[in-house]
Amino acid sequence: PPDSATLPQNQTTRRLWLSGAGVVTRTHYDKGHTMLAQIVGRKLVLLWRPEQLHALRLYPAVHEAHRQSQLSFTSDQADLLALTEKAGSAPAIVSLSPGDLLYIPPYFAHAVLALDSSATVAVVSESWEQARWARSGWVPAPLGRAA
């Protein structure tokens, strides 16, 4: 069996997201495993596979919003369609209702639109890729922010 000192510690976070109808979560990706449990209201979730990330015009790695897309949309359906056209590849579109649970794998980009006032519980667990990167000893260049 592997030495427990070499195994990554599970870094699981839980969040309660409360939002009004029309609230949009900017297109981004998370490095961990994400579970969304819809409690109240409905949401629309757009999902892009990791190989589609290049089409989403992510901010550069040294930018503070580096995991977010520069493309955005509002609650307007026409704007939503324009985003998918700009991205050059259609996302999977998932509708969440109370009682639904959605798993979002690491590095899958997603945007969320609240169709109603809603409550969602999000649980994010660190991925092996994220744990390996953290142990790699990589240190970001001191660009942008003053220490």
Side-chain angles (χ1 to χ4, degrees):
D3 178 12
S4 62
T6 63
L7 293 175
Q9 296 297 311
N10 186 350
Q11 302 293 324
T12 300
T13 59
R14 294 159 300 282
R15 291 191 174 95
L16 174 64
W17 296 106
L18 303 173
S19 58
V23 171
V24 174
T25 301
R26 186 174 197 90
T27 304
H28 69 285
Y29 69 87
D30 296 313
K31 297 184 229 176
H33 300 274
T34 302
M35 299 289 283
L36 295 179
Q38 191 61 30
I39 309 302
V40 176
R42 298 172 302 131
K43 287 188 173 176
L44 197 62
V45 182
L46 284 72
L47 295 163
W48 289 269
R49 295 181 315 276
E51 58 270 19
Q52 296 172 295
L53 289 176
H54 70 280
L56 294 174
R57 291 184 39 213
L58 298 176
Y59 283 99
V62 294
H63 193 279
E64 63 183 13
H66 67 276
R67 291 183 296 115
Q68 296 181 26
S69 172
Q70 296 179 52
L71 305 174
S72 62
F73 71 91
T74 64
S75 57
D76 183 335
Q77 289 288 357
D79 197 27
L80 179 62
L81 294 175
L83 172 67
T84 62
E85 288 176 18
K86 282 182 195 173
S89 52
I93 300 175
V94 178
S95 179
L96 292 179
S97 296
D100 289 345
L101 181 67
L102 175 65
Y103 168 67
I104 303 174
Y107 300 96
F108 271 62
H110 51 283
V112 183
L113 167 64
L115 300 174
D116 307 316
S117 292
S118 64
T120 308
V121 173
V123 178
V124 181
S125 218
E126 187 174 44
S127 68
W128 278 98
E129 297 86 358
Q130 186 178 4
R132 272 191 232 121
W133 184 255
R135 289 194 329 243
S136 71
W138 181 83
V139 178
L143 302 174
R145 295 185 185 184

